[in-house]
Amino acid sequence: GIAVLAMSMAASSQTVFSDEPLRQNWVKRGVLLQPGFGGSASSHFVSSPSVVRLDDGRLRMYVWVADGTPPWLNGHHVVIAAESDAVHPLSWRVVSRGAMVGPDPSSPIRDRGVGFPYVLPRNDGPWLMYYGTWGGDWTKKQELLNRLGLAVSHDKGLTWEVAKEDVLPSGPPGSFDAGAIPSASVLRLSQDDYLMWYTTAEKYLRFGETNQGIMHLGLARSRDGVQWGKLERPAMRAREGAAEPYEACLARPAVLKIDGTYHMWFGVYDMAPGSRAGVAVGPAASGSYRLEYARSSDGLTWTRFPDHPVLPLTPGAFDSTSQTYASVVDMGEEIWLFYTGDGLGTTGVGL
């Protein structure tokens, strides 16, 4: 069994770019959760939904909230949850105002808390929550220090305990995943076969006053959802300078498998038009996130539809400049896409 796993993870990944129009008809329902919805813990920030369809048809949304806004050393970062009847998806009730997972002052990598939750329900074992840690002093090198952690729940996702703090150690210097690993999406294909697509930083490049991480998507495989083996190459790379504007990050993938095909929605961060690494263009080098889409027959080789955002921006709304950090749910006749709006979460989460 171990040899088979090792061979499969040594396979080569590839991305095929398609210039065909992206034919997805989404209907926006608007913002669902705004800062403050869960009390003081969520007063400034609501981001990165992970939505689970419960056995009785209700929906539970786990979100990253904070009582401070970026940069990330401000405030405390915790995961809380809210529930909704699928018949009334615009109305949500807070499950617990207290942190389900939060800061540990004694932890060098989680003293500020956690973010980017991804919850995997299971009927034959504890539920699993993968999260990104916030901790340490990233200002020393202006490089994020996120690690991917794991919490477990024995009561169907209502209470959680941290099980492991560094699920995926970074690769060696110069590798595509040499830096931070802040978020992941996991599918359970069978009883002992799990696939994980994760966000990871390869390096940092200077764009004027901004030290920008270059982030790709990696792939890992597991037999139990706890111990993971990583693919040696990224599942999908940011295009960097091959794109205009400069494409710096691929972020927080959300993956569904429907009728044998993998579907991925992910955030794409472009720098401001004309930005180039090493060129002092000032703070205007900062750009914005948009959601894009790719599909695959094996979860490894993807057909990507670049420069075709999934959703239009809505002037004056919570997503007037940015859309990212999504969660997708197969509702049978429809697919529902929950996503984060402007400021990475300063305006909330919508549908």
Side-chain angles (χ1 to χ4, degrees):
I2 296 177
V4 173
L5 178 63
M7 288 177 63
S8 65
M9 297 315 295
S12 176
S13 59
Q14 181 182 3
T15 301
V16 177
F17 295 100
S18 173
D19 58 3
E20 294 181 10
L22 183 61
R23 295 181 175 88
Q24 293 184 1
N25 297 316
W26 296 95
V27 177
K28 287 186 177 183
R29 300 299 299 273
V31 64
L32 301 180
L33 302 180
Q34 295 177 294
F37 87 95
S40 59
S42 64
S43 59
H44 285 70
F45 193 80
V46 182
S47 181
S48 304
S50 177
V51 182
V52 173
R53 194 176 185 185
L54 303 175
D55 291 339
D56 61 5
R58 290 179 301 123
L59 298 174
R60 183 180 298 154
M61 184 192 308
Y62 298 85
V63 285
W64 162 25
V65 301
D67 55 9
T69 53
W72 310 115
L73 288 183
N74 291 335
H76 299 86
H77 303 262
V78 304
V79 172
I80 63 174
E83 291 182 354
S84 172
D85 185 330
V87 179
H88 304 96
L90 301 184
S91 178
W92 292 79
R93 177 184 63 85
V94 177
V95 174
S96 173
R97 293 179 184 271
M100 291 179 159
V101 184
D104 178 358
S106 66
S107 170
I109 62 174
R110 191 166 51 93
D111 56 292
R112 293 288 175 172
V114 301
F116 302 111
Y118 183 88
V119 172
L120 182 68
R122 301 191 301 180
N123 293 323
D124 57 353
W127 287 24
L128 305 178
M129 179 195 293
Y130 305 89
Y131 60 83
T133 64
W134 289 106
D137 186 1
W138 63 272
T139 60
K140 292 179 179 179
K141 295 179 64 178
Q142 294 189 347
E143 297 181 7
L144 297 179
L145 305 174
N146 313 86
R147 308 308 316 156
L148 193 67
L150 173 65
V152 298
S153 172
H154 297 278
D155 57 5
K156 295 186 179 296
L158 293 176
T159 60
W160 296 85
E161 59 186 48
V162 172
K164 194 173 183 179
E165 285 281 52
D166 194 1
V167 174
L168 288 181
S170 295
S175 63
F176 80 94
D177 61 352
I181 299 179
S183 64
S185 177
V186 177
L187 290 185
R188 188 182 189 184
L189 304 181
S190 66
Q191 183 176 5
D192 59 356
D193 190 11
Y194 298 73
L195 283 182
M196 172 192 287
W197 296 266
Y198 62 94
T199 306
T200 183
E202 175 189 5
K203 58 192 174 185
Y204 277 76
L205 299 177
R206 199 76 183 180
F207 290 80
E209 298 177 6
T210 301
N211 202 37
Q212 177 62 49
I214 305 302
M215 307 195 78
H216 312 294
L217 301 181
L219 178 63
R221 197 161 208 157
S222 172
R223 297 196 184 281
D224 59 7
V226 178
Q227 304 295 331
W228 293 86
K230 296 190 296 183
L231 189 72
E232 295 176 354
R233 299 177 180 85
M236 192 182 300
R237 297 188 68 97
R239 292 179 293 167
E240 301 186 53
E244 173 54 43
Y246 191 104
E247 185 178 281
C249 298
L250 306 181
R252 217 236 179 178
V255 182
L256 287 180
K257 187 179 183 183
I258 304 174
D259 297 331
T261 298
Y262 296 87
H263 303 266
M264 179 193 290
W265 292 264
F266 54 98
V268 178
Y269 184 79
D270 291 335
M271 307 302 291
S275 300
R276 284 293 178 266
V279 178
V281 294
S286 296
S288 64
Y289 271 107
R290 299 294 298 276
L291 287 169
E292 291 192 9
Y293 168 80
R295 63 171 176 250
S296 171
S297 61
D298 59 5
L300 179 64
T301 298
W302 293 88
T303 297
R304 181 182 166 189
F305 298 79
D307 307 317
H308 291 284
V310 171
L311 300 172
L313 300 172
T314 301
F318 87 105
D319 62 345
S320 62
T321 63
S322 179
Q323 299 157 338
T324 190
Y325 302 161
S327 178
V328 286
V329 181
D330 184 354
M331 298 296 291
E333 295 297 321
E334 298 177 326
I335 294 175
W336 289 10
L337 186 150
F338 301 82
Y339 65 99
T340 305
D342 297 346
L344 304 182
T346 57
T347 61
V349 167
L351 171 63

PDB file of all heavy atoms in Angstrom, residues 116-119 130-132 148 168 181-186 196-199 252-254:
ATOM      1  N   PHE A 116      -9.095  30.451   7.796  1.00  0.00           N
ATOM      2  CA  PHE A 116      -9.264  29.553   6.647  1.00  0.00           C
ATOM      3  C   PHE A 116      -9.773  28.161   7.039  1.00  0.00           C
ATOM      4  O   PHE A 116      -9.187  27.144   6.662  1.00  0.00           O
ATOM      5  CB  PHE A 116      -7.940  29.384   5.895  1.00  0.00           C
ATOM      6  CG  PHE A 116      -7.328  30.654   5.393  1.00  0.00           C
ATOM      7  CD1 PHE A 116      -6.161  31.143   5.957  1.00  0.00           C
ATOM      8  CD2 PHE A 116      -7.904  31.356   4.344  1.00  0.00           C
ATOM      9  CE1 PHE A 116      -5.577  32.310   5.494  1.00  0.00           C
ATOM     10  CE2 PHE A 116      -7.320  32.524   3.870  1.00  0.00           C
ATOM     11  CZ  PHE A 116      -6.157  33.005   4.445  1.00  0.00           C
ATOM     12  N   PRO A 117     -10.884  28.038   7.767  1.00  0.00           N
ATOM     13  CA  PRO A 117     -11.341  26.698   8.151  1.00  0.00           C
ATOM     14  C   PRO A 117     -11.849  25.915   6.937  1.00  0.00           C
ATOM     15  O   PRO A 117     -12.456  26.470   6.018  1.00  0.00           O
ATOM     16  CB  PRO A 117     -12.491  26.992   9.118  1.00  0.00           C
ATOM     17  CG  PRO A 117     -13.030  28.316   8.648  1.00  0.00           C
ATOM     18  CD  PRO A 117     -11.810  29.095   8.226  1.00  0.00           C
ATOM     19  N   TYR A 118     -11.593  24.621   6.941  1.00  0.00           N
ATOM     20  CA  TYR A 118     -12.235  23.702   6.006  1.00  0.00           C
ATOM     21  C   TYR A 118     -12.676  22.490   6.812  1.00  0.00           C
ATOM     22  O   TYR A 118     -11.848  21.790   7.399  1.00  0.00           O
ATOM     23  CB  TYR A 118     -11.310  23.262   4.877  1.00  0.00           C
ATOM     24  CG  TYR A 118     -12.035  22.358   3.896  1.00  0.00           C
ATOM     25  CD1 TYR A 118     -12.738  22.892   2.832  1.00  0.00           C
ATOM     26  CD2 TYR A 118     -12.075  20.984   4.098  1.00  0.00           C
ATOM     27  CE1 TYR A 118     -13.453  22.080   1.963  1.00  0.00           C
ATOM     28  CE2 TYR A 118     -12.790  20.155   3.243  1.00  0.00           C
ATOM     29  CZ  TYR A 118     -13.475  20.706   2.179  1.00  0.00           C
ATOM     30  OH  TYR A 118     -14.192  19.896   1.334  1.00  0.00           O
ATOM     31  N   VAL A 119     -13.984  22.229   6.838  1.00  0.00           N
ATOM     32  CA  VAL A 119     -14.539  21.169   7.671  1.00  0.00           C
ATOM     33  C   VAL A 119     -14.960  19.995   6.797  1.00  0.00           C
ATOM     34  O   VAL A 119     -15.673  20.157   5.804  1.00  0.00           O
ATOM     35  CB  VAL A 119     -15.738  21.692   8.486  1.00  0.00           C
ATOM     36  CG1 VAL A 119     -16.438  20.549   9.210  1.00  0.00           C
ATOM     37  CG2 VAL A 119     -15.263  22.748   9.487  1.00  0.00           C
ATOM     38  N   TYR A 130      -9.488  21.476   9.008  1.00  0.00           N
ATOM     39  CA  TYR A 130      -8.164  21.961   8.634  1.00  0.00           C
ATOM     40  C   TYR A 130      -8.200  23.495   8.698  1.00  0.00           C
ATOM     41  O   TYR A 130      -9.160  24.113   8.231  1.00  0.00           O
ATOM     42  CB  TYR A 130      -7.794  21.481   7.233  1.00  0.00           C
ATOM     43  CG  TYR A 130      -7.880  19.979   7.080  1.00  0.00           C
ATOM     44  CD1 TYR A 130      -9.075  19.372   6.684  1.00  0.00           C
ATOM     45  CD2 TYR A 130      -6.792  19.158   7.353  1.00  0.00           C
ATOM     46  CE1 TYR A 130      -9.174  17.992   6.570  1.00  0.00           C
ATOM     47  CE2 TYR A 130      -6.881  17.779   7.242  1.00  0.00           C
ATOM     48  CZ  TYR A 130      -8.087  17.199   6.843  1.00  0.00           C
ATOM     49  OH  TYR A 130      -8.183  15.842   6.732  1.00  0.00           O
ATOM     50  N   TYR A 131      -7.176  24.096   9.251  1.00  0.00           N
ATOM     51  CA  TYR A 131      -7.163  25.548   9.418  1.00  0.00           C
ATOM     52  C   TYR A 131      -5.749  26.079   9.260  1.00  0.00           C
ATOM     53  O   TYR A 131      -4.761  25.340   9.386  1.00  0.00           O
ATOM     54  CB  TYR A 131      -7.726  25.938  10.796  1.00  0.00           C
ATOM     55  CG  TYR A 131      -6.943  25.353  11.956  1.00  0.00           C
ATOM     56  CD1 TYR A 131      -5.784  25.966  12.433  1.00  0.00           C
ATOM     57  CD2 TYR A 131      -7.344  24.169  12.567  1.00  0.00           C
ATOM     58  CE1 TYR A 131      -5.055  25.417  13.465  1.00  0.00           C
ATOM     59  CE2 TYR A 131      -6.617  23.620  13.606  1.00  0.00           C
ATOM     60  CZ  TYR A 131      -5.475  24.256  14.052  1.00  0.00           C
ATOM     61  OH  TYR A 131      -4.743  23.712  15.077  1.00  0.00           O
ATOM     62  N   GLY A 132      -5.650  27.361   8.994  1.00  0.00           N
ATOM     63  CA  GLY A 132      -4.352  28.025   8.945  1.00  0.00           C
ATOM     64  C   GLY A 132      -4.078  28.745  10.252  1.00  0.00           C
ATOM     65  O   GLY A 132      -4.963  29.393  10.819  1.00  0.00           O
ATOM     66  N   LEU A 148      -0.526  24.728   8.494  1.00  0.00           N
ATOM     67  CA  LEU A 148      -1.818  24.076   8.383  1.00  0.00           C
ATOM     68  C   LEU A 148      -2.043  23.180   9.591  1.00  0.00           C
ATOM     69  O   LEU A 148      -1.273  22.251   9.829  1.00  0.00           O
ATOM     70  CB  LEU A 148      -1.879  23.255   7.095  1.00  0.00           C
ATOM     71  CG  LEU A 148      -3.271  22.764   6.683  1.00  0.00           C
ATOM     72  CD1 LEU A 148      -4.151  23.950   6.296  1.00  0.00           C
ATOM     73  CD2 LEU A 148      -3.168  21.783   5.521  1.00  0.00           C
ATOM     74  N   LEU A 168       1.197  19.738   7.224  1.00  0.00           N
ATOM     75  CA  LEU A 168       2.042  19.664   6.028  1.00  0.00           C
ATOM     76  C   LEU A 168       3.285  20.515   6.228  1.00  0.00           C
ATOM     77  O   LEU A 168       3.245  21.732   6.013  1.00  0.00           O
ATOM     78  CB  LEU A 168       1.282  20.162   4.790  1.00  0.00           C
ATOM     79  CG  LEU A 168       0.180  19.296   4.201  1.00  0.00           C
ATOM     80  CD1 LEU A 168      -0.403  19.988   2.978  1.00  0.00           C
ATOM     81  CD2 LEU A 168       0.693  17.924   3.822  1.00  0.00           C
ATOM     82  N   ILE A 181       1.904  27.624   4.493  1.00  0.00           N
ATOM     83  CA  ILE A 181       0.823  26.796   3.967  1.00  0.00           C
ATOM     84  C   ILE A 181      -0.421  27.140   4.791  1.00  0.00           C
ATOM     85  O   ILE A 181      -0.636  26.585   5.865  1.00  0.00           O
ATOM     86  CB  ILE A 181       1.156  25.296   4.051  1.00  0.00           C
ATOM     87  CG1 ILE A 181       2.412  24.986   3.231  1.00  0.00           C
ATOM     88  CG2 ILE A 181      -0.034  24.458   3.566  1.00  0.00           C
ATOM     89  CD1 ILE A 181       2.838  23.526   3.259  1.00  0.00           C
ATOM     90  N   PRO A 182      -1.259  28.071   4.306  1.00  0.00           N
ATOM     91  CA  PRO A 182      -2.340  28.602   5.139  1.00  0.00           C
ATOM     92  C   PRO A 182      -3.715  27.967   4.978  1.00  0.00           C
ATOM     93  O   PRO A 182      -4.566  28.140   5.854  1.00  0.00           O
ATOM     94  CB  PRO A 182      -2.406  30.069   4.710  1.00  0.00           C
ATOM     95  CG  PRO A 182      -1.991  30.039   3.266  1.00  0.00           C
ATOM     96  CD  PRO A 182      -1.005  28.911   3.127  1.00  0.00           C
ATOM     97  N   SER A 183      -3.999  27.277   3.863  1.00  0.00           N
ATOM     98  CA  SER A 183      -5.373  26.825   3.651  1.00  0.00           C
ATOM     99  C   SER A 183      -5.406  25.579   2.783  1.00  0.00           C
ATOM    100  O   SER A 183      -4.456  25.274   2.060  1.00  0.00           O
ATOM    101  CB  SER A 183      -6.209  27.932   2.999  1.00  0.00           C
ATOM    102  OG  SER A 183      -5.730  28.243   1.704  1.00  0.00           O
ATOM    103  N   ALA A 184      -6.537  24.864   2.850  1.00  0.00           N
ATOM    104  CA  ALA A 184      -6.663  23.612   2.105  1.00  0.00           C
ATOM    105  C   ALA A 184      -8.123  23.294   1.847  1.00  0.00           C
ATOM    106  O   ALA A 184      -9.034  23.801   2.518  1.00  0.00           O
ATOM    107  CB  ALA A 184      -6.015  22.464   2.878  1.00  0.00           C
ATOM    108  N   SER A 185      -8.345  22.432   0.862  1.00  0.00           N
ATOM    109  CA  SER A 185      -9.642  21.846   0.566  1.00  0.00           C
ATOM    110  C   SER A 185      -9.445  20.340   0.458  1.00  0.00           C
ATOM    111  O   SER A 185      -8.487  19.894  -0.188  1.00  0.00           O
ATOM    112  CB  SER A 185     -10.199  22.401  -0.751  1.00  0.00           C
ATOM    113  OG  SER A 185     -11.427  21.793  -1.103  1.00  0.00           O
ATOM    114  N   VAL A 186     -10.316  19.549   1.085  1.00  0.00           N
ATOM    115  CA  VAL A 186     -10.118  18.103   1.157  1.00  0.00           C
ATOM    116  C   VAL A 186     -11.373  17.375   0.688  1.00  0.00           C
ATOM    117  O   VAL A 186     -12.494  17.729   1.070  1.00  0.00           O
ATOM    118  CB  VAL A 186      -9.770  17.662   2.597  1.00  0.00           C
ATOM    119  CG1 VAL A 186      -9.640  16.145   2.678  1.00  0.00           C
ATOM    120  CG2 VAL A 186      -8.482  18.333   3.060  1.00  0.00           C
ATOM    121  N   MET A 196      -6.102  16.304  -0.907  1.00  0.00           N
ATOM    122  CA  MET A 196      -6.044  17.664  -0.386  1.00  0.00           C
ATOM    123  C   MET A 196      -5.378  18.586  -1.410  1.00  0.00           C
ATOM    124  O   MET A 196      -4.287  18.284  -1.900  1.00  0.00           O
ATOM    125  CB  MET A 196      -5.243  17.726   0.919  1.00  0.00           C
ATOM    126  CG  MET A 196      -4.965  19.158   1.417  1.00  0.00           C
ATOM    127  SD  MET A 196      -3.744  19.223   2.751  1.00  0.00           S
ATOM    128  CE  MET A 196      -4.700  18.566   4.119  1.00  0.00           C
ATOM    129  N   TRP A 197      -6.037  19.683  -1.715  1.00  0.00           N
ATOM    130  CA  TRP A 197      -5.426  20.756  -2.504  1.00  0.00           C
ATOM    131  C   TRP A 197      -5.143  21.903  -1.539  1.00  0.00           C
ATOM    132  O   TRP A 197      -6.042  22.335  -0.808  1.00  0.00           O
ATOM    133  CB  TRP A 197      -6.371  21.215  -3.609  1.00  0.00           C
ATOM    134  CG  TRP A 197      -6.645  20.141  -4.623  1.00  0.00           C
ATOM    135  CD1 TRP A 197      -5.992  19.937  -5.806  1.00  0.00           C
ATOM    136  CD2 TRP A 197      -7.632  19.103  -4.545  1.00  0.00           C
ATOM    137  NE1 TRP A 197      -6.508  18.842  -6.464  1.00  0.00           N
ATOM    138  CE2 TRP A 197      -7.512  18.314  -5.721  1.00  0.00           C
ATOM    139  CE3 TRP A 197      -8.608  18.753  -3.603  1.00  0.00           C
ATOM    140  CZ2 TRP A 197      -8.335  17.217  -5.952  1.00  0.00           C
ATOM    141  CZ3 TRP A 197      -9.422  17.661  -3.839  1.00  0.00           C
ATOM    142  CH2 TRP A 197      -9.283  16.907  -5.005  1.00  0.00           C
ATOM    143  N   TYR A 198      -3.915  22.388  -1.510  1.00  0.00           N
ATOM    144  CA  TYR A 198      -3.537  23.375  -0.504  1.00  0.00           C
ATOM    145  C   TYR A 198      -2.831  24.579  -1.131  1.00  0.00           C
ATOM    146  O   TYR A 198      -2.216  24.493  -2.186  1.00  0.00           O
ATOM    147  CB  TYR A 198      -2.660  22.751   0.583  1.00  0.00           C
ATOM    148  CG  TYR A 198      -1.324  22.187   0.101  1.00  0.00           C
ATOM    149  CD1 TYR A 198      -0.160  22.959   0.145  1.00  0.00           C
ATOM    150  CD2 TYR A 198      -1.222  20.876  -0.370  1.00  0.00           C
ATOM    151  CE1 TYR A 198       1.053  22.441  -0.272  1.00  0.00           C
ATOM    152  CE2 TYR A 198      -0.011  20.355  -0.791  1.00  0.00           C
ATOM    153  CZ  TYR A 198       1.125  21.144  -0.745  1.00  0.00           C
ATOM    154  OH  TYR A 198       2.335  20.629  -1.174  1.00  0.00           O
ATOM    155  N   THR A 199      -2.965  25.704  -0.469  1.00  0.00           N
ATOM    156  CA  THR A 199      -2.300  26.943  -0.862  1.00  0.00           C
ATOM    157  C   THR A 199      -0.930  27.000  -0.216  1.00  0.00           C
ATOM    158  O   THR A 199      -0.792  26.690   0.971  1.00  0.00           O
ATOM    159  CB  THR A 199      -3.128  28.164  -0.416  1.00  0.00           C
ATOM    160  OG1 THR A 199      -4.455  28.047  -0.910  1.00  0.00           O
ATOM    161  CG2 THR A 199      -2.505  29.447  -0.923  1.00  0.00           C
ATOM    162  N   ARG A 252      -6.799  29.445  -1.709  1.00  0.00           N
ATOM    163  CA  ARG A 252      -7.894  28.751  -1.055  1.00  0.00           C
ATOM    164  C   ARG A 252      -8.855  28.057  -2.028  1.00  0.00           C
ATOM    165  O   ARG A 252      -9.955  28.503  -2.285  1.00  0.00           O
ATOM    166  CB  ARG A 252      -8.672  29.719  -0.187  1.00  0.00           C
ATOM    167  CG  ARG A 252      -9.138  29.067   1.105  1.00  0.00           C
ATOM    168  CD  ARG A 252     -10.614  29.155   1.299  1.00  0.00           C
ATOM    169  NE  ARG A 252     -11.028  28.492   2.531  1.00  0.00           N
ATOM    170  CZ  ARG A 252     -12.279  28.467   2.938  1.00  0.00           C
ATOM    171  NH1 ARG A 252     -13.216  29.044   2.252  1.00  0.00           N
ATOM    172  NH2 ARG A 252     -12.595  27.826   4.040  1.00  0.00           N
ATOM    173  N   PRO A 253      -8.422  26.939  -2.602  1.00  0.00           N
ATOM    174  CA  PRO A 253      -9.269  26.216  -3.546  1.00  0.00           C
ATOM    175  C   PRO A 253     -10.493  25.602  -2.865  1.00  0.00           C
ATOM    176  O   PRO A 253     -10.454  25.244  -1.692  1.00  0.00           O
ATOM    177  CB  PRO A 253      -8.340  25.122  -4.076  1.00  0.00           C
ATOM    178  CG  PRO A 253      -7.382  24.877  -2.943  1.00  0.00           C
ATOM    179  CD  PRO A 253      -7.155  26.232  -2.322  1.00  0.00           C
ATOM    180  N   ALA A 254     -11.576  25.499  -3.626  1.00  0.00           N
ATOM    181  CA  ALA A 254     -12.774  24.779  -3.198  1.00  0.00           C
ATOM    182  C   ALA A 254     -13.088  23.769  -4.292  1.00  0.00           C
ATOM    183  O   ALA A 254     -13.257  24.155  -5.453  1.00  0.00           O
ATOM    184  CB  ALA A 254     -13.940  25.733  -2.989  1.00  0.00           C
TER     185      ALA A 254
END
